[in-house]
Amino acid sequence: MQKLSDAKTGRYIIKWIFTEPELSRLLKEICIEVGREVTVLGNSRMGNILLRSDAGLFSMSTETVSGITV
């Protein structure tokens, strides 16, 4: 298992989410929750990660997704 913020390009299943309740609700709205698949499309040096979930494409800070384990 590894942090989503450290993941290379590829498809992953989310194993754990350790984050604040407000952020957890936001992640659930965009189909990022335990047991769901996400695709990492890119990880920039500027601190952002590009993700694809069932809800679409999202760019998030690596700090935001650091509590997600895949």
Side-chain angles (χ1 to χ4, degrees):
M1 289 196 302
Q2 65 179 328
K3 289 183 177 182
L4 183 59
S5 57
D6 296 332
K8 304 285 185 209
T9 302
R11 295 167 67 182
Y12 299 92
I13 300 290
I14 297 174
K15 304 291 184 191
W16 301 93
I17 296 179
F18 296 104
T19 188
E20 300 172 11
E22 295 167 1
L23 181 56
S24 183
R25 282 191 295 273
L26 171 69
L27 292 171
K28 188 174 183 175
E29 287 179 20
I30 60 174
C31 298
I32 297 177
E33 49 192 337
V34 174
R36 305 283 305 255
E37 184 177 282
V38 295
T39 303
V40 175
L41 300 173
N43 205 337
S44 78
R45 295 180 191 206
M46 308 250 333
N48 291 321
I49 188 167
L50 183 60
L51 301 171
R52 176 184 288 149
S53 71
D54 291 341
L57 295 174
F58 301 93
S59 177
M60 305 179 97
S61 73
T62 52
E63 184 179 317
T64 301
V65 297
S66 65
I68 301 174
T69 305
V70 292

